[in-house]
Structure formats: C-alpha cells, structure tokens
C-alpha cells in the first residue's frame, strides 16, 4: 500500500495501468492495480509540482520545486538514469510532447522547449536568470497555464493570462472573439482539428 506517512501531491497514469504518485517530500512511488506500492526515486525534499508519463518514449517528465525556482527532469523507465537539473524557468504548469523526445513547457514566466536528453550547461547548473531566447518560445510570455501542438498542421497553442496565443510558421498571434481576448482552459487535438475549452466562451473548434 501507499505509505501512510506520505502526502500525495501529483498522480499520473503509467504503463500497465500503474499509477505514479508524487509526494510532498519529493518522492515518486509506483502503485500497481493490486495496490502494491514501491518507491521509484527521490528527487528532492520539495514537493513534486508536475508529473506526466509519455508512453511514446516510456518516459516520466517531472518537476519539483526548489526554493523559488523549479527543476525539471526526465526519467526513462527502461533503465536509463534520469537527468535532473535546475533551471530558472518559473513554476511548471504543463508539459506536452512536441517531437519525439522534445517537449513544450508552459510555465509561470512563459513557454519553453525542453529536451531532457540534451545535456546543456543550462540544464545542469542553477541559473541566475531565465533561460536564453534559444530555449524560450518567442512571443509567448507571461504566465502560461496550458500548452499543446497540433502535429498535423504544426501549430502551437498556449493558454496565457493575457489570452490564447498561437504560433504558426514562426509567427505568433492571438485568438480573439469579436476583438476580445479569450481565456483558455484546455486543449484537445484530433486530427487537424484543435478543440479549445474556454472560461467564458464555450468550446472553440479550429
């Protein structure tokens, strides 16, 4: 059973209907269908703030709060050691796969591209400033809650506090309804269509 002395913080579905459970103390446990629990790893003494399993690479992407910053890392579930580094990219809000092994990050200070297998100096030491523009998605700034990419038409969508931004062919625009900004809450891509759940304007289909 899951340890009674641990407080869960994040839960993600994993392979074979297992559950990954992230705790307030930085541990990640695996719970199987029978309720048996085993500790997978311990990242820090801070809580697991984000955790999501990506079946395409059988990889768990995690974020743990470190003081006033966030750290993010990828854990390969087939024997590969996880790579874990500190980066001044704010609080992680969402992660979505962009290309195989490359991920889009929504954070409290903008949107970034992250490759956990790319050992860059920026990802193995703590930075005094946010990541350079090389890793930031330009034009998608401020607090970003959700992010996705429609891989059919290669358009990135981001729900920010200032509206729904999109990037197509390297250019960033904003989705508006009757010249008013929209507050996005969720994304779902099906084929070449993108469904966007909004706070006050129902569901948009693009």
């Amino acid at each position: 059973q899951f340890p009674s002395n641990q407080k869960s913080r994040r839960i993600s579905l994993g392979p074979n209907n297992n559950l990954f459970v992230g705790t307030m103390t930085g541990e990640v446990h695996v719970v199987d269908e029978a309720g048996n629990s085993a500790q997978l790893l311990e990242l820090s003494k801070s809580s697991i703030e984000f955790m999501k399993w990506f079946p395409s690479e059988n990889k768990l992407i995690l974020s743990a709060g470190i003081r006033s910053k966030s750290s993010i890392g990828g854990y390969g579930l087939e024997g590969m050691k996880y790579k874990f580094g500190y980066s001044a990219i704010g609080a992680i809000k969402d992660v979505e796969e962009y290309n195989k092994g490359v991920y889009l990050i929504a954070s409290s200070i903008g949107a970034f591209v992250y490759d956990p297998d790319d050992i860059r100096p920026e990802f193995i030491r703590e930075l005094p400033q946010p990541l350079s523009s090389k890793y930031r998605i330009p034009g998608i700034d401020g607090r970003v809650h959700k992010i996705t990419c429609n891989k059919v038409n290669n358009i990135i969508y981001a729900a920010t506090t200032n509206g729904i931004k999109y990037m197509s062919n390297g250019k960033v625009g904003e989705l508006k309804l009757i010249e008013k900004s929209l507050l996005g809450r969720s994304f779902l891509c099906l084929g070449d269509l993108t469904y966007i759940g909004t706070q006050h304007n129902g569901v948009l289909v693009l």
Side-chain angles (χ1 to χ4, degrees), residues 1-197:
Q1 293 183 346
F2 186 72
S4 59
N5 64 336
Q6 291 286 353
K7 294 182 179 180
S8 60
R9 173 69 173 168
R10 291 287 182 263
I11 296 177
S12 175
L13 181 65
N16 303 316
N17 292 323
N18 291 336
L19 290 178
F20 295 112
V21 181
T23 73
M24 296 289 290
T25 55
E27 295 181 4
V28 178
H29 295 256
V30 182
V31 182
D32 64 20
E33 289 184 292
N36 301 310
S37 174
Q39 182 175 326
L40 179 66
L41 71 160
E42 182 177 359
L43 299 183
S44 69
K45 297 300 181 183
S46 301
S47 65
I48 301 296
E49 296 298 325
F50 180 88
M51 182 173 62
K52 186 175 181 179
W53 174 61
F54 290 87
S56 63
E57 294 217 330
N58 199 23
K59 184 174 292 183
L60 192 65
I61 299 295
L62 311 103
S63 171
I66 305 293
R67 295 184 293 278
S68 61
K69 300 175 181 178
S70 289
S71 51
I72 187 167
Y75 187 91
L77 301 179
E78 296 177 348
M80 186 191 77
K81 284 187 176 181
Y82 67 89
K83 292 167 183 165
F84 198 70
Y86 306 114
S87 297
I89 56 177
I92 308 301
K93 301 299 181 181
D94 191 23
V95 178
E96 285 292 335
E97 191 172 42
Y98 179 53
N99 290 319
K100 187 175 182 180
V102 179
Y103 302 88
L104 300 172
I105 300 175
S107 88
S108 59
I109 62 171
F112 297 84
V113 179
Y114 169 62
D115 180 354
D117 293 329
D118 186 356
I119 308 178
R120 303 169 179 142
E122 287 85 350
F123 283 114
I124 59 176
R125 70 172 185 266
E126 190 170 349
L127 294 177
Q129 299 295 330
L131 294 180
S132 70
S133 58
K134 180 177 179 180
Y135 309 108
R136 181 187 290 272
I137 299 176
I140 303 179
D141 304 312
R143 182 177 292 272
V144 183
H145 304 288
K146 289 287 185 180
I147 195 165
T148 195
C149 178
N150 188 309
K151 296 180 181 180
V152 175
N153 48 41
N154 198 32
I155 299 178
I156 295 172
Y157 296 93
T160 78
T161 54
N162 300 317
I164 301 172
K165 304 296 179 65
Y166 66 91
M167 174 178 277
S168 178
N169 296 320
K171 297 181 179 180
V172 174
E174 181 181 354
L175 294 178
K176 292 187 177 183
L177 186 64
I178 317 177
E179 298 304 315
K180 291 185 178 180
S181 295
L182 301 165
L183 294 178
R185 288 292 177 260
S186 60
F187 297 113
L188 176 63
C189 297
L190 295 174
D192 63 347
L193 297 179
T194 302
Y195 296 79
I196 303 176

